[in-house]
Amino acid sequence: MTSIRPEDMAERDNYKFLIGSIIPRPIAVVTSLSEIGILNIAPFSYFNIVTSNPPIVSISIQRKSGEMKDTVRNILALKEAVIHIADEENIEDINQTAANLLATESELTKTTFTTKASDIVKVPQINEIKIKMEVSFYEHVEIKNKTQVSADLLLLKIEKYHIPDEIYHEGRIDPDGLKPMGRLAGHDYAALGTRRTIVRPD
């Protein structure tokens, strides 16, 4: 068995080890607005639930050369966003939103997506993606490597859920209808696959 301390590995090797072992990761497709009204769309797989009471999710966004990503700047400025859950039908367009564009350009132009106004937040939501969550800013944590900020951890409070009736029954979501996609390493994604039910002990 190979045993390695993270500090003995290059940053890129730590990255490859983590994204290759913590799989599959759910993908948040985040829409946000710049202060001048440019719609930003970006997918993030450092994403999960923090708590259901109140309903809060987390997204960690790596900095590039010490600079905040557009999504972080937008959310810190306007205090709101919309999170969409990546699904099979839309994964090709979702992948296109990972393109490196200028802050004055919208990733919407790289896709076939259409948008509509949200009910509570000012940020538009994507019509084609099934599950959408309007969120408000809750907390920002700077993640530091020694004195250098390397990532921004955002905690976001859910203000409203949107889900199609056909995949939402008696308070439960039909995973076969949702068809979520998860992130693996490299350029790879994973569909839901085989499920196994195991009853938890008392």
Side-chain angles (χ1 to χ4, degrees), residues 41-114:
I41 309 173
F44 300 102
S45 66
Y46 293 8
F47 160 62
N48 221 312
I49 303 163
V50 174
T51 175
S52 57
N53 184 29
I56 291 174
V57 296
S58 66
I59 300 175
S60 180
I61 301 175
Q62 303 297 118
R63 292 196 178 188
K64 191 170 184 178
S65 302
E67 294 292 319
M68 277 184 181
K69 295 282 183 71
D70 293 338
T71 299
V72 179
R73 282 198 303 271
N74 293 348
I75 292 174
L76 292 181
L78 297 184
K79 310 299 186 191
E80 58 187 26
V82 180
I83 293 174
H84 308 73
I85 304 301
D87 57 54
E88 285 186 44
E89 286 92 341
N90 296 291
I91 199 62
E92 295 289 343
D93 272 327
I94 289 167
N95 185 57
Q96 290 301 311
T97 68
N100 291 315
L101 302 183
L102 298 174
T104 54
E105 299 177 284
S106 174
E107 291 78 6
L108 187 64
T109 63
K110 300 290 184 181
T111 73
T112 62
F113 287 148
T114 59

Side-chain angles (χ1 to χ4, degrees), residues 28-40:
V29 183
V30 183
T31 53
S32 63
L33 281 176
S34 73
E35 292 183 279
I36 60 170
I38 304 296
L39 179 65
N40 179 269

